[in-house]
Every structure is written in structure tokens, then in C-alpha cells.
Amino acid sequence: KEPAATIVEMLKDVTSYEGEDAVFECRLSRETAQDAQWFLGDVPLQSNEMNEIGVQGTRHSLILRKVTLEDCGSISFKVGQHTSVA
């Protein structure tokens, strides 16, 4: 069984204006097959035309495209028992 990945570089708060893209990144201690999930508030995010979710090795990123006032709130990234919030 693979050891659990931990979050070594936490999310940073992002301020953006309506119509801009908001970019969030965090880094894990290791590459993992564990489920990693992004949330806006309590809502799990999927990769689609509004949200771009990417993974490059240990770096996980989320781009919210052309944000609106409804996108205001906390973004969280969860992997295993670990969570980072911005």
C-alpha cells in the first residue's frame, strides 16, 4: 500500500476581478494515485469549460475561467486526510 501523500505547498489566497481567470496551485509530497479533489465551497469541481484542473507530477492546479461574483468563496483542495483552503 502506497504511503499517503501530504500537501507540502499550500494554496495561496487569490484576488481577481470579474471576467479574469483565477489560478490556484498546491504541491504534494509525492505523485499519488489517491483521489485528489477541488471544491468551491462545498461543491466538488469537475474539469470543464469553466474549470481547468491539471496535474503535473506533484503539482496540482485549478484555473477558474472568467470568474463571476458567484465564484466568490473558499477554494479547497483535498487529498486523503489532508486539506488546503484559500
Side-chain angles (χ1 to χ4, degrees):
K1 186 169 163 27
E2 65 173 309
T6 58
I7 301 172
V8 294
E9 194 177 298
M10 296 295 193
L11 293 175
K12 292 176 180 60
D13 290 340
V14 172
T15 302
S16 45
Y17 294 97
E18 205 164 9
E20 292 182 343
D21 292 350
V23 180
F24 298 88
E25 284 190 337
C26 64
R27 204 160 46 83
L28 301 181
S29 57
R30 56 192 301 284
E31 290 186 39
T32 179
Q34 260 179 293
D35 285 343
Q37 180 69 60
W38 290 93
F39 294 86
L40 173 56
D42 297 331
V43 180
L45 297 175
Q46 306 292 326
S47 212
N48 56 34
E49 67 279 351
M50 296 305 292
N51 313 313
E52 185 180 312
I53 295 172
V55 180
Q56 270 190 309
T58 59
R59 186 168 297 282
H60 290 250
S61 62
L62 167 68
I63 302 171
L64 299 180
R65 300 264 178 228
K66 296 183 177 58
V67 295
T68 64
L69 290 174
E70 287 78 48
D71 295 320
C72 250
S74 60
I75 293 288
S76 52
F77 176 80
K78 297 180 183 176
V79 61
Q81 301 298 308
H82 304 281
T83 304
S84 179
V85 179

